[in-house]
Amino acid sequence: MLFIMKTIHSLLLCSLTVLLVFSCDSDDETTQGSNLNAAAYYEKLNVSYGNSIHQKFDIYLPANRTLDTNVMILVHGGGWSSGDKSDMNGFRDFIKNEFPNMGIVNMNYRLADANNQPYPMQINDITAVINYLKNESEFYVIDDDFAFVGVSAGAHLALLWSYAFDTGSDIDMVCSIVGPTNLADPAYLNNTNPELQALLDLYGLDASIEFLEEASPYHRATASAPPTILFYGGMDPLIPVSQGTDMHAKLDNLGVTNEFTLYPNAGHGWIGLELLDSTIKLKAFMQTHFD
């Protein structure tokens, strides 16, 4: 599940040159006192938004920002049970280079195990991050509207939060890269892949169809969903093609602005011209809907 993050990270890191002038440390954030100096670049790692060691995010804010400065939230993958925000550093650097006036939040969330299901735990963590940023928007000098780029399990969480939990209309766009969209898809329920089944079992060995639908972006999408861009691989062993094509069709039927790209020969990640195509399309979509 980590292949695409590490591939994109390494390729983007090599291909993009980013000039960083920053103040950086790993202490927890404090918002006591006056607001930050909006004229200066600001970076803070491992800001706590909860009591768990996993409830931390990194924040990167451009110089000369205002209360209209957009913030992109990055959500890592890892099958809901592994992964780390550092897996998204390639996307972080891509956004810094292509959108130098945009803020970035790269978040961790609590990881699922046999005793802690992904849903609703990880959705609650995204809610906590959004609420934290909204409450501190004047301190950070940022807008209180956001967007998501999520990969794999992180894309599932980004879509689900955007479609079902964005009660304040805080999300302007969402990007899913190989994200599961329908846990009740027959391609999942009838699968014979032990690796895939182990991931699905995190939602409960006896999970009902109703519960799986509740945790699925496909079943929670409405006409008010934000603009969405979807990327999928035709040979992905973990994400059936139907996860992307069905989501695309559902959004079309709802009248939701969306773009869908399927790379027929790609798996759970891609490189070369396909990766270049993804970055070009994502940049254009962000320029239209979140710049």
Side-chain angles (χ1 to χ4, degrees):
M1 296 288 283
L2 297 178
F3 174 75
I4 188 170
M5 285 88 74
K6 295 186 182 299
T7 298
I8 292 178
H9 176 211
S10 60
L11 287 175
L12 289 180
L13 199 58
C14 291
S15 63
L16 300 178
T17 301
V18 183
L19 178 62
L20 299 180
V21 181
F22 56 81
S23 167
C24 170
D25 62 57
S26 59
D27 293 335
D28 289 346
E29 182 65 88
T30 174
T31 56
Q32 300 299 315
S34 60
N35 297 345
L36 294 175
N37 177 9
Y41 177 86
Y42 179 81
E43 177 175 321
K44 191 83 168 182
L45 305 183
N46 295 318
V47 179
S48 291
Y49 66 89
N51 296 324
S52 169
I53 60 171
H54 296 291
Q55 291 175 305
K56 295 181 183 295
F57 63 77
D58 302 336
I59 186 166
Y60 310 87
L61 301 176
N64 301 313
R65 63 191 177 278
T66 71
L67 291 174
D68 292 323
T69 295
N70 290 329
V71 176
M72 176 64 73
I73 300 174
L74 307 178
V75 191
H76 71 81
W80 301 286
S81 60
S82 64
D84 183 80
K85 52 186 166 65
S86 62
D87 299 326
M88 300 295 284
N89 284 350
F91 285 99
R92 175 202 64 189
D93 295 342
F94 168 74
I95 294 170
K96 280 185 175 183
N97 187 73
E98 300 295 336
F99 298 91
N101 295 319
M102 185 175 294
I104 304 167
V105 165
N106 191 7
M107 65 172 287
N108 271 348
Y109 48 85
R110 288 171 292 174
L111 301 176
D113 56 33
N115 300 313
N116 299 280
Q117 293 180 344
Y119 178 79
M121 176 178 68
Q122 293 166 351
I123 287 295
N124 291 341
D125 282 355
I126 293 179
T127 300
V129 169
I130 294 288
N131 287 341
Y132 186 107
L133 295 172
K134 290 177 67 176
N135 290 337
E136 302 299 340
S137 61
E138 291 190 4
F139 170 79
Y140 286 124
V141 194
I142 56 174
D143 198 355
D144 56 2
D145 287 334
F146 310 96
F148 286 117
V149 172
V151 172
S152 196
H156 161 263
L157 297 172
L159 289 173
L160 182 59
W161 201 92
S162 299
Y163 295 170
F165 295 90
D166 184 17
T167 57
S169 298
D170 297 315
I171 305 303
D172 288 347
M173 63 148 281
V174 57
C175 170
S176 166
I177 301 174
V178 298
T181 62
N182 183 8
L183 301 180
D185 187 336
Y188 275 160
L189 298 179
N190 302 322
N191 87 87
T192 58
N193 182 336
E195 182 183 3
L196 174 57
Q197 191 57 48
L199 297 176
L200 297 175
D201 285 346
L202 291 169
Y203 284 85
L205 296 176
D206 300 316
S208 67
I209 295 295
E210 291 76 16
F211 179 77
L212 294 175
E213 290 179 349
E214 181 181 334
S216 296
Y218 175 83
H219 293 280
R220 304 300 297 273
T222 67
S224 62
T228 301
I229 185 167
L230 307 161
F231 297 96
Y232 289 84
M235 304 298 291
D236 193 328
L238 299 175
I239 311 297
V241 171
S242 57
Q243 296 286 295
T245 55
D246 290 355
M247 190 74 255
H248 172 50
K250 177 74 172 286
L251 294 174
D252 275 351
N253 290 337
L254 291 169
V256 174
T257 298
N258 75 98
E259 291 184 13
F260 171 75
T261 300
L262 177 68
Y263 301 110
N265 298 317
H268 201 63
W270 42 83
I271 59 175
L273 292 177
E274 292 165 330
L275 177 59
L276 178 61
D277 181 72
S278 298
T279 58
I280 291 171
K281 289 177 177 176
L282 177 57
K283 178 181 177 179
F285 198 82
M286 289 175 61
Q287 286 174 328
T288 300
H289 300 288
F290 196 62
D291 189 18

